Amino acid sequence: MSTPVGAEAVRVTLHPLRGRRDGAEWIVGRMDTGDFVALPDAGHDAVELLAAGLTVQQARQRLVDRTGRDLDLPAFVAALVELGFVAAIDGVPVASPPPVRPTWPWLREGHVRRLLHPALLAVPFLAVLAAVVAVARQPALLPSYHDLLFSRHGSVVLAVEFVCGWSLVFLHELCHLVTARAAGVPGRIRMGTRLQFLVAHTDVSGIVTAPRRHRLTVYLSGIAFNLTVSAGCVLALAAGSLPDGPPRRLVAALAVVSLLSLPFEFMVFMRTDVYFVLEDLAGAKDLYGDGTAYARFLVARAGRRLRGRPAPVDPSAGFGVRERRAVRAFSVLLVAGTAACLATMAAVTLPADVGLLSGAVRHAAGGRGPWDRWDAAAVLAVLGGGQLAWAFLWWRRHRVRVARLARRVMRRSPAGARAAR
């Protein structure tokens, strides 16, 4: 593609792009692939001129007239090709990333547009307020972990909480999806991993081009859903319309299960919902990526100082004061939070899982009755299945990185060096 791009008489056809101003820059990208880039005013003007049908030469002259500077537009077009923003050059198709198939493509913006109406924001607020009033009048309604133990059979508790928990997770992510779709942004619900956790998450990258109110609504819609569900359960219990017994205990357990996911959302070092809110309010482009780069810079700087070498370049040096402070503060939180999570997994989670699994195996082998064997089988299925799913998704996500690391280790080892020779 270097020859036609280098010729200024070519006409460039761009994929449909969407953008918005973000401070001194523009966020521009493809909504169908979720690829976006920050451009200066001149870059945004160039994109608009090219999208209007001007040749590279005409757009270049137009920019000279506007700015008084001669911009290297052929090089800029070549960069657009690398980004996958160019569909064709002089009618010749250009290879670019294919559109990502969204979840539920039949769900259109017009179907759910009213979900962004400001009046709907009052629904979770009023529900939570009413639940707080009900608990103040009847403190016994306050959800407790005791509500999770609604049956003496562990298999029943695990099965119900597994179904309810993952149903709430799906509905939580569905709230992100439909509110993003209401803003005209396609989204995709996927399974993945965050450190030692098996999670579902919704990719709504295109929301960065929406107004801030819409962005925050999308980011917080899942939390609002969980709060509304728990508040609704508390109000149902306060109304006294539920009969005593399993129905009432199940509603109380549902309130607790819905609340249990909220602390996870504040673990911002794992790019949870609250992370995206903080990133938006801080005006950062990629708080996680920049925070990771800054943490690596600190480690590299300390290592070079010990060896008497000059310090590396600070990756946050070119940011504005506000974004630089946010990135540096987040890097501390990222390292501390990740270390705490992994330490908790090693000291608490893994020993507890091993104990539960070994106990389940013993009960399955020597259970005195069908309930003992059923309880053991349920524990094995939930814990073992969850760990296998986590391992599969982690490997699928990191297999290229693991293979690259293994090749690097082999090259550095004596056996690998001999094999290379």
Side-chain angles (χ1 to χ4, degrees):
M1 298 309 301
S2 58
T3 301
V5 171
E8 294 196 2
V10 301
R11 197 177 303 275
V12 177
T13 303
L14 300 177
H15 288 284
L17 302 177
R18 183 184 293 189
R20 71 167 175 88
R21 177 172 284 280
D22 184 38
E25 296 177 320
W26 287 82
I27 305 297
V28 178
R30 289 180 58 181
M31 194 69 66
D32 57 348
T33 63
D35 296 322
F36 293 85
V37 66
L39 295 176
D41 287 338
H44 176 258
D45 292 342
V47 167
E48 287 195 330
L49 293 172
L50 294 172
L54 275 67
T55 65
V56 174
Q57 183 177 9
Q58 292 169 339
R60 186 173 189 173
Q61 184 58 47
R62 190 75 62 87
L63 288 172
V64 170
D65 297 339
R66 289 183 182 179
T67 65
R69 293 183 300 164
D70 188 11
L71 303 178
D72 189 359
L73 207 56
F76 178 74
V77 172
L80 293 180
V81 172
E82 293 295 325
L83 290 169
F85 291 177
V86 176
I89 297 178
D90 276 344
V92 179
V94 175
S96 58
V100 178
R101 179 177 174 81
T103 301
W104 292 0
W106 50 265
L107 185 65
R108 304 296 182 184
E109 178 182 353
H111 299 158
V112 290
R113 185 181 294 116
R114 296 184 182 276
L115 290 177
L116 294 177
H117 195 284
L120 285 179
L121 299 177
V123 173
F125 175 78
L126 293 176
V128 171
L129 180 61
V132 169
V133 172
V135 170
R137 297 179 60 183
Q138 303 180 54
L141 295 174
L142 184 66
S144 167
Y145 73 93
H146 295 290
D147 295 322
L148 295 175
L149 306 176
F150 56 87
S151 173
R152 64 184 182 87
H153 300 293
S155 58
V156 175
V157 172
L158 277 175
V160 172
E161 291 179 3
F162 177 84
V163 172
C164 291
W166 279 103
S167 297
L168 290 172
V169 166
F170 172 75
L171 293 173
H172 175 109
E173 299 303 323
L174 187 61
C175 288
H176 294 309
L177 180 72
V178 296
T179 50
R181 198 67 54 86
V185 177
R188 187 163 59 128
I189 299 176
R190 297 181 294 176
M191 295 295 297
T193 60
R194 293 285 190 271
L195 294 179
Q196 71 266 36
F197 300 101
L198 179 67
V199 300
H201 58 99
T202 306
D203 182 0
V204 289
S205 305
I207 200 63
V208 296
T209 62
R212 169 165 284 182
R213 183 176 69 83
H214 291 175
R215 300 197 303 270
L216 295 180
T217 299
V218 172
Y219 298 150
L220 294 173
S221 58
I223 293 177
F225 166 77
N226 284 93
L227 288 173
T228 304
V229 169
S230 294
C233 292
V234 170
L235 293 175
L237 295 173
S241 57
L242 295 172
D244 292 334
R248 190 175 182 86
R249 290 196 294 269
L250 285 175
V251 171
L254 182 61
V256 179
V257 172
S258 187
L259 284 176
L260 283 177
S261 66
L262 296 185
F264 176 83
E265 301 296 347
F266 287 88
M267 301 169 72
V268 294
F269 51 89
M270 290 192 292
R271 289 171 291 173
T272 57
D273 295 350
V274 177
Y275 159 80
F276 289 104
V277 174
L278 292 179
E279 181 181 63
D280 196 286
L281 296 178
K285 303 296 186 300
D286 182 8
L287 194 56
Y288 182 86
D290 295 334
T292 302
Y294 186 74
R296 290 174 176 171
F297 156 75
L298 293 178
V299 174
R301 186 180 65 179
R304 290 195 178 190
R305 282 180 176 177
L306 291 175
R307 295 192 296 269
R309 296 181 179 180
V313 178
D314 184 351
S316 67
F319 298 158
V321 175
R322 180 184 175 192
E323 185 175 3
R324 183 166 61 250
R325 288 176 178 173
V327 167
R328 293 179 176 181
F330 182 79
S331 67
V332 176
L333 187 60
L334 174 65
V335 173
T338 301
C341 260
L342 295 179
T344 302
M345 178 185 68
V348 179
T349 307
L350 285 179
D353 287 349
V354 171
L356 285 173
L357 288 172
S358 61
V361 171
R362 290 195 302 269
H363 279 84
R368 298 180 178 180
W371 273 114
D372 289 337
R373 290 189 291 271
W374 174 251
D375 286 349
V379 172
L380 287 171
V382 173
L383 293 180
Q387 295 302 322
L388 288 176
W390 179 91
F392 171 75
L393 292 171
W394 187 92
W395 172 253
R396 190 174 68 174
R397 180 183 178 187
H398 298 285
R399 62 182 182 274
V400 176
R401 188 180 303 173
V402 171
R404 189 183 300 120
L405 178 62
R407 288 194 297 268
R408 189 179 303 170
V409 171
M410 285 297 297
R411 283 197 299 267
R412 293 180 178 178
S413 67
R418 288 194 298 271
R421 289 196 297 268

